[in-house]
């Protein structure tokens, strides 16, 4: 089933002829060449999101690091249009499923948690590029889209969808925000298969940069602990460490719910690859001594994710590997 065909029946902006962007001569490396591209990211939501010009202007100001006054936001029915450095962007929020056949689509997804998110979404919010410019570097466009749509990620967000690459990504709290706010959001959100499970990376334990990153995370653990103890309800906290299952282990991220003297308790942020007994959302714990990375949000802005020391190493090494 083509998700893009399913999309056409529900995405209101397509009827305006605004979302088709001609393929530029220079393209981001992770997207296959096509005759046209839907330059957009979509949040699949459990509940509708009400938008106003005020909230859109605040989100754009925080995302792009400069004041975007309310007067700069125009409305077209339920669509809000705001101008960035790469042109006009539309923010569209609607209270109905993004796909006309969500159940059928979910049945094609191997990841059970992601399939459930697709099946249970009842609303969506998208940020779409409205320009048609063959000379525009779409990597820069997606940077603006990613930073803007990151402002709207919340607990109601079940998954992220990229019409451009026809791929899904689960909402794994801080990780997805970090990907959206990165230099290449599509690379961060894209995976090798259509299940859109988190990327797994095989890197030797003696990799010097990885050792240094883990040491930095452990050295700065008191910062994470202090922030968690003083947390607000809008913040999210995650740690990464080894999850054991017999003789097998896999380093995974937990969404932290409690920290005591020796243990970090939390919910598994994604489905494992090698382990069979634990699944996404499992309530488990790991020793504080085994935590090898951490990250948390301090706010919705572009610089508001702290930590993620090993993530930067993984990104650098996988990008270097992909260029070989």
């Amino acid at each position: 089933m083509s998700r893009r065909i399913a999309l056409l029946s529900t995405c209101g902006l397509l009827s305006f002829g605004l979302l088709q962007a001609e393929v530029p001569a220079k393209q981001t490396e992770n997207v296959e060449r096509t005759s046209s591209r839907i330059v957009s990211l979509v949040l699949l939501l459990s509940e509708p999101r009400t938008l106003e010009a005020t909230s859109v202007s605040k989100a754009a100001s925080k995302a792009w690091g400069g004041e975007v006054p309310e007067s700069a936001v125009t409305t077209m029915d339920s669509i809000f249009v705001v101008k960035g450095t790469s042109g006009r962007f539309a923010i569209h929020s609607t209270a109905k499923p993004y796909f006309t056949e969500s159940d059928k689509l979910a049945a094609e997804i191997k990841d059970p948690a992601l399939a459930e998110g697709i099946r249970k979404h009842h609303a969506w919010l998208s940020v779409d590029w409205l320009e048609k410019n063959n000379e525009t570097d779409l990597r820069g466009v997606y940077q603006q889209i990613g930073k803007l749509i990151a402002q709207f990620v919340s607990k109601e967000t079940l998954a992220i969808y990229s019409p451009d690459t026809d791929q899904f990504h689960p909402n794994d709290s801080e990780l997805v925000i970090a990907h959206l706010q990165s230099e290449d959001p599509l690379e961060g959100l894209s995976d090798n298969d259509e299940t859109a499970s988190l990327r797994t990376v095989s890197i030797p334990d003696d990799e010097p940069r990885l050792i240094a990153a883990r040491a930095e995370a452990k050295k700065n653990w008191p910062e994470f602990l202090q922030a968690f103890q003083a947390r607000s309800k809008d913040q999210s906290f995650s740690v990464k460490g080894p999850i054991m299952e017999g003789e097998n282990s896999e380093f995974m991220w937990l969404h932290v719910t409690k920290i005591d003297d020796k243990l970090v308790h939390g919910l598994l942020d994604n489905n494992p690859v090698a382990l069979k007994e634990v699944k996404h959302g499992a309530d488990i714990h790991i020793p504080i001594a085994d935590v090898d990375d951490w990250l948390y949000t301090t706010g919705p802005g572009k610089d508001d994710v702290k930590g993620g020391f090993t993530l930067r190493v993984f990104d650098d090494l996988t990008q270097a590997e992909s260029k070989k």
Side-chain angles (χ1 to χ4, degrees), residues 5-57:
I5 292 175
L7 156 70
L8 296 178
S9 63
T10 59
C11 186
L13 281 179
L14 287 172
S15 64
F16 291 98
L18 294 175
L19 291 188
Q20 295 287 3
E22 298 301 321
V23 180
K26 296 181 180 179
Q27 302 194 45
T28 54
E29 296 177 355
N30 56 307
V31 181
E32 182 180 352
R33 180 179 293 272
T34 56
S35 59
S36 63
R37 295 171 64 170
I38 301 174
V39 183
S40 170
L41 290 175
V42 184
L43 305 182
L44 303 183
L45 307 174
S46 60
E47 299 177 5
R49 179 73 58 79
T50 300
L51 297 181
E52 297 177 346
T54 301
S55 60
V56 170
S57 68

Side-chain angles (χ1 to χ4, degrees), residues 6 8 15-16 41 62-63 75 79 88 96 99 102 116 132 151 160 173 176 178 214 239 252 270 279 293-294 307 313:
L8 296 178
S15 64
F16 291 98
L41 290 175
K62 291 179 181 178
T75 60
I79 303 164
R88 297 170 302 149
K96 61 181 179 181
F99 304 101
S102 296
E116 188 71 2
K132 297 181 180 180
Q151 308 302 318
I160 316 293
S173 60
V176 79
R214 287 171 170 168
V239 299
M252 303 188 68
N270 58 289
K279 301 296 182 183
D293 201 357
W294 51 261
V313 176

